[in-house]
């Protein structure tokens, strides 16, 4: 057992035990309120660059299995838990969280008061921080403070590091759809195949001309990490294509659509991350429990006259969905494909299929 410390940019220190890889790592410290789905959280590309704190106190009790991964490996910068289970119980288990993080060179820390840490982030907002197991830094973590405070948490490289490097095709008998990959989760692709779409996945920086050369019947924008303003080339591409194609987006894709329509975006105080966020469908007045993972939102005061809010977050009234009144375009801020989380919002995939086939 190796001593470790998490130090935040405001100087607050949390001492615990090293988890996974050993060394020092810096990142944006956020929290996730999900009770399960820790491997999906670890492998979600939307967490690129972030140190993720799990609010549920026991993590790893059903172990690790490749079937639960949402990408080719962990994408988090660091992982913070109250207690990491050392003896998982699951017939599919292939190892512990500690072993999984070590294998992928991801640092973590266990044994800290995650309730106190979460309350601090909720009070002060998302904070930059560092995890270290290096003896001299554990003894004097204040020496990391200047480096933490100067750290940049966003930038176009976040999406560039998780988007696909080449175009690939997933055949289907349904509508032909091009998916712009900003850091797509595997369950999104599984859902698209389940609905029978003929899917071509392209990098985030693909031009409108290149996309139209694929003769799609629709454009789908995936989730991804960071600030939507860091991908202006994608915003320009979507702005051009929304005049000729049905367009749908989720998470970062939702924000990119918003920017392309002329909306403004802003950073939330501490973001929405978890599998239990209540969202109201304004048209039906029904409430759905949703899976979310984002730190930015669309400013509802900036919606153009031809754009309406279709979904609203019940906790803080933020915009959770948009629809263009005179064009086949809509988006949602949350993850209708879940993984982890509820499947209440799968109907949105049917909705986009109807838009493409009408």
């Amino acid at each position: 057992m190796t001593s470790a410390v998490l130090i935040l940019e405001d100087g607050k220190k949390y001492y615990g035990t090293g988890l996974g890889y050993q060394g020092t790592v810096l990142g944006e410290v956020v929290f996730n309120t999900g009770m399960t789905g820790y491997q999906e959280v670890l492998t979600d590309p939307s967490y690129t660059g972030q140190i993720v704190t799990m609010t549920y106190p026991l993590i790893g009790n059903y172990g690790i299995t490749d079937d639960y991964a949402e990408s080719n490996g962990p994408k988090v910068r660091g992982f913070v838990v109250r207690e990491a289970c050392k003896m998982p119980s699951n017939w599919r288990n292939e190892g512990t969280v500690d072993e999984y993080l070590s294998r992928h060179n991801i640092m973590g820390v266990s044994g800290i008061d995650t309730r106190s840490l979460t309350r601090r982030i909720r009070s002060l907002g998302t904070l930059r921080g560092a995890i270290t197991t290096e003896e001299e830094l554990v003894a004097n973590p204040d020496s990391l403070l200047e480096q933490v405070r100067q750290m940049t948490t966003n930038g176009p490289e976040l999406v560039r590091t998780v988007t696909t490097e080449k175009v690939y095709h997933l055949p289907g008998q349904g509508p032909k759809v091009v998916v712009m990959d900003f850091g797509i989760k595997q369950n999104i692709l599984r859902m698209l195949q389940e609905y029978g779409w003929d899917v071509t996945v392209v990098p985030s920086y693909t031009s409108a001309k290149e996309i139209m050369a694929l003769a799609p019947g629709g454009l789908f924008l995936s989730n991804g990490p960071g600030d939507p303003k860091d991908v202006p080339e994608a915003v320009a591409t979507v702005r051009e294509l929304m005049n000729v194609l049905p367009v749908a987006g989720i998470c970062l894709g939702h924000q990119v659509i918003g920017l392309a329509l002329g909306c403004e975006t802003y950073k939330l105080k501490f973001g929405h991350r978890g599998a239990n966020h209540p969202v109201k469908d304004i048209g039906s007045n029904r409430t759905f429990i949703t899976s979310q993972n984002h730190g930015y939102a669309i400013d509802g005061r900036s919606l153009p006259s031809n754009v309406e809010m279709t979904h609203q977050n019940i906790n803080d009234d933020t915009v959770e969905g948009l629809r263009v009144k005179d064009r086949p375009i809509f988006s949602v801020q949350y993850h209708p494909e879940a993984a982890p989380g509820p499947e209440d919002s799968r109907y949105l995939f049917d909705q986009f299929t109807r838009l493409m086939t009408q």
Side-chain angles (χ1 to χ4, degrees), residues 77 102 294 316:
R77 186 70 60 80
S102 294
H294 62 103
D316 60 11

Side-chain angles (χ1 to χ4, degrees), residues 46 180 182 188 219-229 231 234-235 238-239 242 247-266 268 272 279 291-300 302-304 307-313 317-324 329-337 348:
S46 294
M180 291 186 75
F182 300 116
I188 295 175
L219 178 66
F220 185 89
L221 312 182
S222 84
N223 64 294
D227 187 341
K229 293 176 182 176
V231 287
V235 174
V238 172
R239 183 179 295 120
M242 62 175 45
V247 183
I250 64 173
C251 196
L252 183 65
H254 159 78
Q255 297 161 14
V256 168
I257 287 175
L259 291 175
L261 290 168
C263 304
E264 294 294 327
T265 59
Y266 65 98
L268 294 166
H272 300 157
V279 168
S291 180
Q292 303 204 12
N293 175 14
H294 62 103
Y296 291 80
I298 290 174
D299 188 342
S302 68
L303 303 188
V307 177
E308 65 177 354
M309 179 170 65
T310 58
H311 297 75
Q312 187 174 36
N313 191 293
D317 295 332
T318 51
V319 176
E320 291 282 357
L322 296 177
R323 183 182 75 86
V324 180
I329 300 167
F330 77 92
S331 61
V332 291
Q333 179 61 80
Y334 54 91
H335 286 249
E337 88 296 342
L348 293 168

